[in-house]
Amino acid sequence: MYFKTYCDSPAFWQTYLHDPASITMEGILLFNKHLLFLITIIVLFVGWLLAFTIYYFSEQNNKFQSNFVHAKELEIVWTSIPALILLLLSTPSFTLLYAMDEISEPELSLKVLGHQWFWSYEISEFNSCQKKDQSLKYVCYMMVLDGLPKNKQGYFRLLETNKRVILPTNTHLRLLVSAADVLHSWTIPSFGLKVDACPGRLNQLNLFIKRVGVFFGQCSEICGVNHGFMPIVIVSLPTLQFHHYVMTKLELGQD
Ligand SMILES: [Cu+2]
């Protein structure tokens, strides 16, 4: 059987972005590819022009002296072509931007609260569940190297937390992000999410996870001395397993 390994955490000598796990990230990657294609053409063209100019700047290669001082047609062309390119880019860019902001009826809400220097979470509003008013709460600290199980293989240094937040796949989720003290930023590259956690303000996001996996992220807004030590870990499970997990957890009560 063939398993594809996804890049959901930083890897050695990584040069490209993480593998997408949400529709948002797929859109971002596609747009990135379009941009790169266009940029390559522009760089090649401008590079050729530059080489051409340098070559003919030398008297040996260009015996004739030209004496024109302006060219209206050329001005029009080299002003309108970049404008057209920008216009061409604006359509996919705005489409992506507004698609990312779209909130489609969420079945579950995850509240994220940034603290100096850890994240706390609350999962509530289980629409398909009888225990509607109950919620799951987590407080996630970073695991120091000594706190990890004995042989430290398979763990990520500075990325592991004491608890992992579990979310269902193929479900519309709503994230409400805020902070308790200073600015933080909640980020998961594989989901294409990065949102500021501002104290006194709720930022809303939508998330649709497409595959099962363990996803890593880090705080992305300088928030104090331990800013680099407040990672984010999300585990996504199939909907049925998630439902079972929530029911068991609520039955047993908080730990
Ligand atoms: Cu931070």
Side-chain angles (χ1 to χ4, degrees):
M1 213 169 145
Y2 172 72
F3 290 106
K4 187 186 184 314
T5 35
Y6 290 102
C7 176
D8 295 327
S9 61
F12 282 115
W13 299 103
Q14 186 180 350
T15 50
Y16 201 57
L17 302 160
H18 284 193
D19 285 325
S22 72
I23 299 164
T24 310
M25 190 56 179
E26 283 175 355
I28 292 172
L29 283 179
L30 199 67
F31 185 55
N32 181 52
K33 274 179 193 163
H34 284 155
L35 276 184
L36 274 180
F37 173 70
L38 220 70
I39 287 169
T40 311
I41 292 174
I42 293 170
V43 165
L44 286 177
F45 176 66
V46 174
W48 174 76
L49 275 183
L50 206 66
F52 200 77
T53 316
I54 291 168
Y55 181 77
Y56 281 106
F57 189 73
S58 160
E59 201 185 348
Q60 285 157 0
N61 301 325
N62 187 13
K63 295 272 186 268
F64 302 101
Q65 189 186 15
S66 59
N67 50 11
F68 73 92
V69 283
H70 72 279
K72 211 198 301 169
E73 292 78 16
L74 197 62
E75 290 274 359
I76 291 170
V77 168
W78 74 37
T79 312
S80 53
I81 287 179
L84 275 176
I85 292 172
L86 286 182
L87 217 67
L88 208 79
L89 285 180
S90 67
T91 318
S93 173
F94 281 116
T95 312
L96 180 65
L97 200 66
Y98 288 115
M100 281 160 73
D101 273 343
E102 198 74 44
I103 302 280
S104 37
E105 280 195 29
E107 283 180 62
L108 200 81
S109 288
L110 173 71
K111 286 173 204 155
V112 181
L113 209 59
H115 304 259
Q116 274 175 323
W117 289 275
F118 58 94
W119 294 97
S120 68
Y121 301 90
E122 190 181 329
I123 302 179
S124 53
E125 291 163 48
F126 305 103
N127 281 357
S128 52
C129 182
Q130 301 93 334
K131 306 181 181 246
K132 254 187 154 174
D133 47 335
Q134 279 183 285
S135 62
L136 285 176
K137 285 176 188 154
Y138 307 89
V139 177
C140 297
Y141 291 91
M142 190 191 76
M143 294 276 279
V144 288
L145 217 56
D146 292 335
L148 293 172
K150 261 236 166 96
N151 71 341
K152 291 166 175 65
Q153 286 191 340
Y155 291 95
F156 294 90
R157 194 178 79 93
L158 303 184
L159 283 176
E160 298 288 350
T161 50
N162 58 337
K163 282 177 191 170
R164 291 171 167 181
V165 180
I166 298 179
L167 290 175
T169 53
N170 299 322
T171 310
H172 286 284
L173 309 170
R174 171 172 57 186
L175 266 65
L176 298 163
V177 183
S178 186
D181 33 49
V182 296
L183 280 178
H184 299 273
S185 182
W186 196 84
T187 312
I188 298 270
S190 294
F191 297 161
L193 291 185
K194 175 177 280 180
V195 66
D196 276 352
C198 313
R201 188 192 153 105
L202 267 187
N203 281 330
Q204 190 171 253
L205 279 176
N206 72 324
L207 173 60
F208 188 90
I209 308 171
K210 285 184 80 175
R211 57 180 168 85
V212 173
V214 187
F215 305 98
F216 293 90
Q218 283 170 303
C219 178
S220 301
E221 179 70 56
I222 297 284
C223 57
V225 279
N226 285 336
H227 162 66
F229 309 106
M230 46 184 295
I232 300 151
V233 189
I234 301 280
V235 176
S236 63
L237 287 180
T239 325
L240 207 67
Q241 262 157 285
F242 176 79
H243 197 78
H244 184 253
Y245 162 78
V246 169
M247 294 305 276
T248 330
K249 204 79 178 167
L250 291 179
E251 215 69 65
L252 291 172
Q254 298 287 318
D255 57 54

